Amino acid sequence: MSNIENFFESYLFGLSLPDMKVTDLIEIILIAFVIYEIMLWVKNTRAWMLFKGIIFLMVFILFASIFEMNIILWIASKTINVGIIAVIIIFQPELRKALEQLGRKNILTSLFPIDAQRNGDERFSDKTVNEITRAVFEMGSVRTGALIVIERDISLMDYENTGIAVDSIISSQLLINIFEHNTPLHDGAVIVRGNRVAAATCYLPLSDNMGLSKDLGTRHRAGIGISEVSDSMTIIVSEETGKVSIAMGGELTRNVDAEFLRSKLYALQNKSIEGGRFRKTKGRVKNEKKVNS
């Protein structure tokens, strides 16, 4: 009994909480949030397997330290600097993607109003919405494959330079003629900027997401790939089935109908008020299927 009393007197009663300020509490919350976001990012990317490999090496070095394996510790100490650089090189694609996603967060755009004037302008007209929708579903009805990328805030100039400049007003006839089989411009993607077709036959990055369905072809993977590295919206028409899909933010929504596509285009139009009233669009999806990246 006396031993228990001595334990409480020596350890528990001697404990005292440190003086906490409001800034200390905020700092703890911020650090916990950052650690959580980093862990979530690592888990949702290919970096998870690499991260587990690094943990294994750290456990191996700890094991060598406990049993005083001096040669292994000497090798580890000499290679740690090179190892840090190697980790940065290995994680380069994931780090770049994470920084791009961080730059697209609303919290940054609210603190630093970049492109504020551009965001306040209407991106494209109602006529453009109707012309794109008409062209997409006319091509789908005859199973003509198409890949249309609609630029938003992030410039697609690098991908536009891989194609052929068009710089023409959007019309359904123009889009249908571009993607017609055996025509010079049908292969590749069309990039739309505002009310104009900026370029055709553009090359897009393919998504390397291993979780995508195996029945998705190159056209769908390219549509998802460009949505992973930009804030664009990509419209994909399947050549095999004629079905229309939409890729945004690394997610693919499959088998959409005309009303749903039109509502998505209206949402991107950046025109919240029309005729004194807020625009309201209702879209429905037939057999909608979303594929996450």
Side-chain angles (χ1 to χ4, degrees), residues 113-153:
I114 304 172
D115 292 336
Q117 184 176 0
R118 180 181 177 182
N119 290 338
D121 297 334
E122 178 181 313
R123 286 195 177 94
F124 42 80
S125 64
D126 292 347
K127 181 177 182 296
T128 296
V129 173
N130 294 326
E131 293 293 328
I132 293 176
T133 304
R134 184 182 300 114
V136 164
F137 283 93
E138 284 188 14
M139 288 186 288
S141 64
V142 294
R143 297 191 178 184
T144 298
L147 191 58
I148 302 172
V149 184
I150 301 174
E151 183 185 81
R152 297 175 66 188
D153 294 332

Side-chain angles (χ1 to χ4, degrees), residues 12-36:
L12 296 184
F13 294 150
L15 292 177
S16 61
L17 294 176
D19 294 332
M20 295 284 291
K21 299 179 181 178
V22 177
T23 54
D24 297 328
L25 183 60
I26 295 175
E27 189 176 10
I28 293 172
I29 294 174
L30 289 175
I31 293 174
F33 175 76
V34 170
I35 294 175
Y36 170 77

Side-chain angles (χ1 to χ4, degrees), residues 11-292:
Y11 295 98
L12 296 184
F13 294 150
L15 292 177
S16 61
L17 294 176
D19 294 332
M20 295 284 291
K21 299 179 181 178
V22 177
T23 54
D24 297 328
L25 183 60
I26 295 175
E27 189 176 10
I28 293 172
I29 294 174
L30 289 175
I31 293 174
F33 175 76
V34 170
I35 294 175
Y36 170 77
E37 288 293 329
I38 292 175
M39 294 176 65
L40 190 64
W41 165 73
V42 169
K43 185 178 180 180
N44 292 333
T45 63
R46 293 180 305 169
W48 176 240
M49 299 301 296
L50 300 174
F51 185 71
K52 289 196 292 186
I54 293 174
I55 292 177
F56 174 80
L57 290 177
M58 293 176 63
V59 172
F60 179 73
I61 293 173
L62 179 61
F63 178 83
S65 177
I66 293 174
F67 290 94
E68 298 181 354
M69 299 178 181
N70 297 325
I71 297 177
I72 294 177
L73 294 176
W74 180 83
I75 296 174
S77 64
K78 296 299 181 182
T79 58
I80 187 170
N81 293 331
V82 178
I84 293 174
I85 298 175
V87 168
I88 294 175
I89 294 174
I90 293 172
F91 281 92
Q92 187 270 336
E94 286 77 14
L95 290 172
R96 179 176 178 178
K97 182 178 178 180
L99 292 175
E100 288 175 348
Q101 292 176 347
L102 181 63
R104 295 200 295 266
K105 293 288 186 181
N106 293 331
I107 184 173
L108 293 181
T109 55
S110 61
L111 293 176
F112 306 101
I114 304 172
D115 292 336
Q117 184 176 0
R118 180 181 177 182
N119 290 338
D121 297 334
E122 178 181 313
R123 286 195 177 94
F124 42 80
S125 64
D126 292 347
K127 181 177 182 296
T128 296
V129 173
N130 294 326
E131 293 293 328
I132 293 176
T133 304
R134 184 182 300 114
V136 164
F137 283 93
E138 284 188 14
M139 288 186 288
S141 64
V142 294
R143 297 191 178 184
T144 298
L147 191 58
I148 302 172
V149 184
I150 301 174
E151 183 185 81
R152 297 175 66 188
D153 294 332
I154 297 178
S155 175
L156 300 177
M157 187 63 68
D158 291 341
Y159 304 101
E160 180 182 338
N161 292 335
T162 65
I164 298 174
V166 177
D167 193 24
S168 176
I169 294 292
I170 292 176
S171 67
S172 58
Q173 294 86 351
L174 174 62
L175 293 174
I176 292 172
N177 283 330
I178 287 176
F179 290 107
E180 186 66 31
H181 293 290
N182 301 322
T183 57
L185 301 180
H186 86 282
D187 192 18
V190 160
I191 293 180
V192 172
R193 179 179 296 115
N195 293 306
R196 306 183 74 84
V197 175
T201 70
C202 299
Y203 293 99
L204 305 180
L206 298 180
S207 174
D208 55 2
N209 183 4
M210 302 301 294
L212 294 178
S213 175
K214 300 301 181 183
D215 62 347
L216 296 178
T218 304
R219 184 176 288 112
H220 287 81
R221 289 185 176 274
I224 299 172
I226 190 64
S227 73
E228 290 174 342
V229 300
S230 71
D231 61 348
S232 62
M233 185 180 89
T234 305
I235 304 170
I236 307 113
V237 182
S238 173
E239 188 173 353
E240 289 76 18
T241 64
K243 300 294 184 180
V244 178
S245 304
I246 297 174
M248 286 186 68
E251 295 183 351
L252 183 69
T253 305
R254 306 176 68 179
N255 304 340
V256 304
D257 63 4
E259 196 62 31
F260 182 82
L261 174 60
R262 189 175 285 109
S263 69
K264 285 293 186 181
L265 290 171
Y266 281 142
L268 297 185
Q269 196 177 10
N270 212 26
K271 183 170 68 174
S272 58
I273 299 177
E274 181 180 5
R277 294 184 179 180
F278 289 98
R279 178 195 300 278
K280 294 183 179 180
T281 57
K282 294 183 179 179
R284 55 189 175 86
V285 183
K286 296 178 180 178
N287 302 323
E288 177 183 327
K289 181 180 179 182
K290 183 170 290 187
V291 181
N292 295 326

